[in-house]
Amino acid sequence: MQYNYFPGRLRFRDPVLRDSDIRSAALDAVRILCPQAEISYKESTASILAVYPAETVDMEALKKLVPYLLKIEPKVRFYTPKKKDEILAGIAEIKGVIGTLISKRL
């Protein structure tokens, strides 16, 4: 999976996002991370783009997600339908971490 980050702009790109369940779970995680984000999905490139006010997302919080993203990376890179549940579980774990990070900020 390819990740691109610039303050105010986050993109995830991978063919696995063409799976509607995985894409939906990934979109939910982005919405939890930044509810103000304008999120779009482009089928031709299998990419999710989130554009958001840069000051609303803490860069340190994003850095804390990297180990969890790396944990599901091999499953995504060598995707087969058998790995779908593992990927969804990994995304659920990321959503839980995001929720914890947000609750600590409040």
Side-chain angles (χ1 to χ4, degrees), residues 10-67:
L10 181 62
R11 181 182 300 274
F12 300 92
R13 184 182 314 213
D14 194 275
V16 75
L17 293 170
R18 289 193 172 105
D19 180 290
S20 61
D21 294 332
I22 292 172
R23 180 176 61 248
S24 178
L27 288 169
D28 287 346
V30 174
R31 285 186 190 106
I32 293 168
L33 182 64
C34 185
Q36 317 78 321
E38 292 180 31
I39 303 170
S40 59
Y41 170 70
K42 190 171 184 180
E43 179 68 27
S44 63
T45 59
S47 66
I48 294 172
L49 173 65
V51 179
Y52 56 91
E55 65 279 357
T56 62
V57 175
D58 178 19
M59 183 60 182
E60 291 306 312
L62 287 178
K63 287 180 182 178
K64 291 177 183 176
L65 297 176
V66 171

Side-chain angles (χ1 to χ4, degrees), residues 69-106:
L69 292 167
L70 291 174
K71 186 175 172 182
I72 63 170
E73 178 75 28
K75 296 169 186 70
V76 169
R77 187 176 321 123
F78 302 107
Y79 177 73
T80 65
K82 291 181 181 179
K83 296 179 183 177
K84 182 176 179 174
D85 288 338
E86 293 177 68
I87 293 169
L88 290 172
I91 295 171
E93 183 177 19
I94 290 168
K95 287 166 51 176
V97 171
I98 292 170
T100 301
L101 292 172
I102 289 172
S103 68
K104 287 182 179 179
R105 281 193 312 197
L106 299 177

